[in-house]
Amino acid sequence: MEHRLPYYMAYPMPMQYDDERMERRDFEYMKSMYPQLAKKILPLVEEECERMCYEGSMIYDEYPDQLQIRLMSGRVYDKVKDMKDVKHENLKEMIQLMMFQEIFRCRCERRKKRRKFYL
């Protein structure tokens, strides 16, 4: 006679991956509500952060270097300032804020991946 486990025992944590999916969906929804200027800048900020996502990168340091983050923001600003329909009032500050948010997201994703790997 074959002994089968009940569903709740076979999959002890069914909602574990649901949280990540819900967080990602919420984050994407919030990004969809960004102002038009932020939507134009976001791909450039994400590209710059992806460029810095490697093992040993300063964005993963416990206390990331503020000068390096400003340099990253400056590279994005140099690309954005030539776009049409872009007002330059507080543009650098907005790019820096978006950079901080994107770095935070990258750090959180890395922590989640490392946690899964070592468990």
Side-chain angles (χ1 to χ4, degrees), residues 87-101:
K87 296 178 183 176
H88 294 283
E89 301 169 8
N90 302 325
L91 184 61
K92 284 185 180 182
E93 288 83 8
M94 187 170 94
I95 291 172
Q96 282 184 359
L97 286 171
M98 293 175 73
M99 188 68 67
F100 292 136
Q101 179 182 359

Side-chain angles (χ1 to χ4, degrees), residues 43-89:
L44 299 171
V45 171
E46 289 174 341
E47 177 185 321
E48 185 66 28
C49 282
E50 283 296 318
R51 197 173 70 77
M52 296 300 290
C53 286
Y54 57 86
E55 191 63 37
S57 174
M58 68 90 193
I59 66 172
Y60 299 126
D61 291 346
E62 185 174 356
Y63 299 104
D65 185 26
Q66 192 172 17
L67 177 63
Q68 290 295 325
I69 294 173
R70 286 186 179 175
L71 289 173
M72 290 170 62
S73 301
R75 288 191 289 265
V76 173
Y77 177 76
D78 291 340
K79 294 175 186 176
V80 170
K81 70 181 179 183
D82 299 330
M83 290 182 171
K84 297 178 183 178
D85 304 327
V86 175
K87 296 178 183 176
H88 294 283
E89 301 169 8

